[in-house]
Amino acid sequence: MDYAALAERIKGWGRALGFQAVGIADVDLSAAEPRLLEWLSRGWHGEMEYMARHGVLRARPGDLHAGTRCVIACRMNYSHEREAELPLEGEKAYVARYARGRDYHKLMRGRLQQLCDRIAAETGAFGYRAFADSAPVMEVALAAKAGLGWRGKHTLLLDREAGSWFFLGEIFCDLPLPPDAAASEHCGSCRRCIDVCPTQAIVAPYQLDARRCISYLTIEHKSAIPEELRPLIGNRVYGCDDCQIVCPWNRDAPAAAEADFAPRNGLDDATLVELFSWTEAQFDERLRGSPIRRIGYERWLRNIAVGLGNAPGSGEVVAALRGRQDDPSALVREHVTWALSRHGQLAA
């Protein structure tokens, strides 16, 4: 079989399925492995124990899926925003763009499976496994090797046309497809992402201490948010886009084509008080099919309490916090007490 020609057809099939770019990477991540181990040794993964548990498996695709000879990397745009961003302070709640619509995991896995089925129709049965943030995969390293972009100083993948507003998915397979050339880097001397980070989580170019990252703190971190970091979180209740918003390569990034990624339940324009008023039943119902639902109601309230503590001290804000002083969750009560103290209120 002409595998070079097959690789080009695969890219075309992928684009027809809604991926904006498809590339092929080899499985040699030996250059990335030492950096991964150093990151783990510094404890920068925080409470993400699974990162340490899988260790070097992330850097060894052939160990993760036996027989893997190449990785088909795919990219899909998700941002529907075409107007100015919400203020990152004030009474409105900020939810990361990727989480305002439906959960991308199911859609991405479905499209990756369709691509696998199309390949099998051409080649016959072949060995593969598809991933969409669902296994210990070094997505950015593989996508960079596949020519889909370069790793920016904020550690996310960047592309000159698409910026960084996209999801990544991979197909590990046993086909000997020829790899694409890696993309060149275009960050230059720019350090806007480093300078804008509210918590200074980007400690140096290409180095992220997740323990300080707002996305980690509001999503992956299960316990109390460190008190010294709470004032820096502002109104960000699920994730953070600051480093992407200021990136010059995102200035003209194209909007997503997928309707599923459009904002739902008003999450692009909701107030902190409004979201804090949701009951657990409303949280479960309104966020059904949303990536936010996986953090659970307790952490959702924890995050919003921090946002309310950072919001202007109106009577409405104080009343909302007072209404949850006796919340069944000790975690929520702790953050409510902190928020009230920020407004000069004693948690009576």
Side-chain angles (χ1 to χ4, degrees), residues 54 56-68 71 129-131 134-138 142 170 172:
H54 296 304
V56 296
L57 186 63
R58 291 179 173 275
R60 301 178 184 180
D63 291 346
L64 180 59
H65 182 64
T68 298
V71 175
R129 187 174 174 189
F131 302 103
S134 55
V137 175
M138 296 189 76
L142 288 168
E170 303 78 32
F172 286 31

Side-chain angles (χ1 to χ4, degrees), residues 21 73 85 113 115 220 222 287 294 313 334:
E85 271 293 348
Q113 183 59 55
L115 181 54
E220 300 291 347
K222 296 180 174 63
L287 297 181
R294 75 181 183 89
E334 175 190 344

Side-chain angles (χ1 to χ4, degrees), residues 43 46 106 169 191 233 242 251 306 345:
K106 184 176 181 180
R191 50 176 291 124
I233 291 175
D242 291 41
R251 197 172 293 143
V306 171
Q345 301 290 317

Side-chain angles (χ1 to χ4, degrees), residues 79-303:
S79 178
H80 276 258
E81 308 305 312
R82 304 304 298 172
E83 300 178 1
E85 271 293 348
L86 282 171
L88 295 174
E89 56 185 17
E91 64 180 21
K92 294 290 183 71
Y94 190 88
V95 173
R97 288 188 189 184
Y98 88 87
R100 296 174 189 174
R102 289 188 180 276
D103 193 340
Y104 67 94
H105 294 86
K106 184 176 181 180
L107 185 147
M108 286 285 286
R109 281 196 297 268
R111 299 293 175 84
L112 291 169
Q113 183 59 55
Q114 290 179 54
L115 181 54
C116 291
D117 293 342
R118 183 64 186 84
I119 296 170
E122 180 83 4
T123 66
F126 71 105
Y128 69 88
R129 187 174 174 189
F131 302 103
D133 193 26
S134 55
V137 175
M138 296 189 76
E139 291 191 320
V140 173
L142 288 168
K145 286 178 73 73
L148 299 191
W150 72 93
R151 185 186 291 273
K153 292 179 182 178
H154 48 20
T155 74
L156 302 172
L157 195 73
L158 277 170
D159 176 78
R160 289 202 289 182
E161 283 74 42
S164 60
W165 303 113
F166 48 72
F167 298 124
L168 295 172
E170 303 78 32
I171 299 169
F172 286 31
C173 73
D174 62 3
L175 299 173
L177 301 172
D180 289 298
S184 56
E185 299 186 4
H186 298 279
C187 283
S189 61
C190 179
R191 50 176 291 124
R192 295 184 193 183
C193 59
I194 299 172
D195 295 337
V196 79
C197 181
T199 56
Q200 292 300 288
I202 308 171
V203 298
Y206 318 105
Q207 296 186 41
L208 178 75
D209 183 348
R211 297 170 301 179
R212 298 186 64 84
C213 177
I214 294 175
S215 286
Y216 163 81
L217 291 168
T218 56
I219 300 173
E220 300 291 347
H221 190 69
K222 296 180 174 63
S223 54
I225 294 173
E227 193 164 332
E228 68 274 14
L229 296 179
R230 294 177 196 175
L232 306 178
I233 291 175
N235 63 346
R236 303 160 187 81
V237 300
Y238 189 92
C240 178
D241 290 328
D242 291 41
C243 61
Q244 299 190 81
I245 291 170
V246 301
C247 179
W249 294 114
N250 273 327
R251 197 172 293 143
D252 298 312
E258 296 295 335
D260 271 359
F261 299 153
R264 306 168 68 223
N265 291 304
L267 290 178
D268 58 337
D269 193 37
T271 67
L272 291 160
V273 169
E274 174 190 351
L275 297 182
F276 205 53
S277 71
W278 286 5
T279 65
E280 187 166 9
Q282 288 173 321
F283 170 85
D284 286 336
E285 178 59 31
R286 294 177 184 178
L287 297 181
R288 192 178 305 279
S290 164
I292 299 173
R293 199 163 178 257
R294 75 181 183 89
I295 70 169
Y297 185 57
E298 181 183 45
R299 278 191 275 165
W300 175 246
L301 293 179
R302 174 200 67 181
N303 295 348

Side-chain angles (χ1 to χ4, degrees), residues 23-27 69-73 141-147 177-180:
I24 313 295
D26 62 45
V27 296
R69 300 177 68 175
C70 76
V71 175
I72 303 170
L142 288 168
K145 286 178 73 73
L177 301 172
D180 289 298

